[in-house]
Amino acid sequence: MNPGTPESAGVLTVDLDAIASNWRTLRDLHRESGGRETGAAVKADAYGLGAAVVAPALAAAGCRHFFVAQLAEGMALRPLLGPGPMIAVLNGFPPGADENAALTPVLNSPGDIAAWSGTGRDAILHLDTGMARLGLTPAELDALAEDPSPLRGLQLLLVMTHLACADEPAHPLNAAQAARFAAARARLPALPFSLANSAGIFLGRDFASDLARPGCAVYGLNPTPGRPNPMRPTVRLAVPVLQVREIPAGTPVGYGAGWTAQRPSRIATVAAGYADGYLRSLSGRATGRHNWHEVPLVGRISMDLSTFDVTDHPAIGPGSMIELIGPGNSPDDVAARAGTIGYEVLTALGARYRRAYSAA
Ligand SMILES: *Cc1c(COP(=O)(O)O)cnc(C)c1O
C-alpha cells in the first residue's frame, strides 16, 4: 500500500513476534511445571488471525504439534508446514479422507476406534472426563479397558482430555478431571498424555503433561481472567472513515433511529459492521480510538458500517483510521462490552479485513 492511498477496508495487523513470544512463554511455563512439550491450537484459522501465516511462524518458533478442528483445516495446513509437524484433527475424520496429508485423527468414540483399528496409523485417543462433549464416556472406557483389542494395529501417540473450567482455578471440576484422567490412564496401555489448554498451563504441576494444547493465550487473550494478562497483545484492528457528516441536534443516526444527537454533532461512518465480526451487541457500548483519543460508537452497528461520534475530534475526516481493537481496547475488553468472550471476538474477525503481518 502506497503511503497516502486511503484504505478502503479495515486493516487487521497481526504481530507474529508477539505470537511467537507468547508461545515460548507458555512452553517455558509448562516446562517449569514439569510438562514436556507444548503445541498450539490453530483451529478456526488460528482464532481468526490467519493460520496460513500464523502456523508457519509458530513452527519457526519451535512448535511441532498443531491442533485443528476439521479435516479441511488440516489439509490446508500440511503443505505449509511440511512433513514434520503433527497436525491433529480434534473432530476426527474417516480413514483415507486425508489422502497424503498425514493428519492425525483424534478418536472420539468407539466407532472412531473401530474405523481406524488395524490401519497402523498414528492417532490420539480422547477421553471425556467432564465435558459431555467429545471423547469416550466412562462406560466406553470401561469396555475398552476390559478388551483393548480394538487398539491393535493403531499407533496411539497420546491419550487426551479437555478441561471444562480451567479459567476458574478454584472450580472443583479441575481437580476432579485431573483425577479421573489419571485413573483412566492407569487402566490403558502406558501412553504419553495431553491435558492443559491455555488456562490449564497456569494451574500448575497437577495439570502438566507430555503435550499442552494452548490456543487463546498464544493469540494474546488472558488465560487468567480476573488477574493481569501475562500475554502480549497480538492484534490491532483499524477501520477507515468513509464519510463525516455534520448533523444538528435532534438528528437520529442509523437503523431504528437508535441514537439521537443531543447537540450539533459530527458523525464518522466507518467501513466495518457485524458482517465483519464487529458484533451487533456492541451497539451503543463500544468505543474506538484515534491517536489515543476515545471516540464513542453511536447508533446501531449495521452489516457493513458503523458510526462514531467524533464531534470533539475535528482532525478526524474521510480516510482517517479508527482503531476498534488495540492497546487499551483488547479483544477481551471488546468482548466484555459485547457480553461475550475474547475467543468469539477473535474468531469472528471478518474475511474482508486486510491482514497485515509484522515479521516474527
Ligand atoms: C480449542 C481447544 C484447545 C485450546 O484451548 P484454549 O482455551 O484456546 O487454550 C485445546 N484443546 C482442545 C480440545 C480444544 O478444543
Side-chain angles (χ1 to χ4, degrees):
M1 171 120 315
N2 297 327
T5 308
E7 297 284 349
S8 60
V11 181
L12 182 73
T13 306
V14 178
D15 184 342
L16 295 173
D17 188 50
I19 288 174
S21 156
N22 285 339
W23 181 79
R24 285 190 291 262
T25 298
L26 295 161
R27 174 200 63 189
D28 293 349
L29 182 60
H30 188 228
R31 277 189 193 148
E32 284 160 27
S33 299
R36 276 184 51 223
E37 305 273 337
T38 293
V42 293
K43 58 194 180 181
D45 204 21
Y47 290 47
L49 304 190
V53 180
V54 168
L58 287 167
C63 182
R64 307 292 293 158
H65 303 87
F66 294 85
F67 291 86
V68 294
Q70 301 190 353
L71 174 67
E73 295 179 304
M75 296 290 284
L77 212 48
R78 176 58 77 202
L80 300 169
L81 292 178
M86 178 187 91
I87 303 173
V89 179
L90 290 165
N91 291 2
F93 61 89
D98 62 335
E99 291 167 18
N100 300 319
L103 307 178
T104 299
V106 174
L107 310 181
N108 290 308
S109 69
D112 287 352
I113 297 171
W116 286 89
S117 183
T119 61
R121 286 281 302 268
D122 291 355
I124 294 173
L125 179 64
H126 185 186
L127 307 179
D128 175 22
T129 58
M131 285 204 78
R133 213 173 58 166
L134 293 178
L136 265 59
T137 65
E140 290 165 348
L141 171 72
D142 285 345
L144 188 66
E146 214 154 281
D147 175 16
S149 62
L151 297 179
R152 270 193 221 125
L154 263 179
Q155 293 295 321
L156 279 190
L157 300 179
L158 288 168
V159 55
M160 68 171 265
T161 198
H162 192 46
L163 298 168
C165 304
D167 57 349
E168 296 175 59
H171 199 293
L173 190 51
N174 291 322
Q177 285 195 267
R180 287 173 200 160
F181 191 39
R185 292 198 321 270
R187 303 176 60 198
L188 292 171
L191 283 168
F193 65 99
S194 176
L195 175 55
N197 60 347
S198 297
I201 292 174
F202 291 79
L203 294 178
R205 304 195 73 82
D206 292 348
F207 298 84
S209 68
D210 296 295
L211 179 63
R213 311 182 304 272
C216 75
V218 175
Y219 310 111
L221 300 183
N222 189 353
T224 62
R227 287 189 278 152
N229 188 351
M231 313 317 300
R232 281 173 59 180
T234 67
V235 287
R236 274 176 190 257
L237 172 63
V239 296
V241 173
L242 300 174
Q243 283 196 2
V244 175
R245 174 147 319 189
E246 313 259 354
I247 57 172
T251 307
V253 173
Y255 282 119
W259 183 84
T260 300
Q262 300 299 303
R263 56 174 178 167
S265 299
R266 296 177 75 243
I267 302 300
T269 299
V270 304
Y274 58 78
D276 303 296
Y278 199 50
L279 304 174
R280 194 168 173 278
S281 55
L282 288 166
S283 299
R285 295 166 180 266
T287 58
R289 297 275 196 295
H290 181 76
N291 290 343
W292 301 99
H293 297 297
E294 240 183 340
V295 289
L297 175 75
V298 294
R300 289 195 193 152
I301 294 173
S302 311
M303 186 183 294
D304 317 295
L305 301 169
S306 306
T307 40
F308 289 83
D309 180 357
V310 299
T311 312
D312 299 327
H313 305 283
I316 297 177
S320 299
M321 298 298 281
I322 293 190
E323 193 172 89
L324 305 185
I325 296 175
N329 208 15
S330 71
D332 289 319
D333 296 335
V334 173
R337 294 189 180 210
T340 184
I341 54 176
Y343 296 71
E344 190 177 13
V345 169
L346 290 186
T347 57
L349 287 168
R352 299 192 292 193
Y353 299 136
R354 180 166 72 81
R355 279 158 173 75
Y357 295 93
S358 66

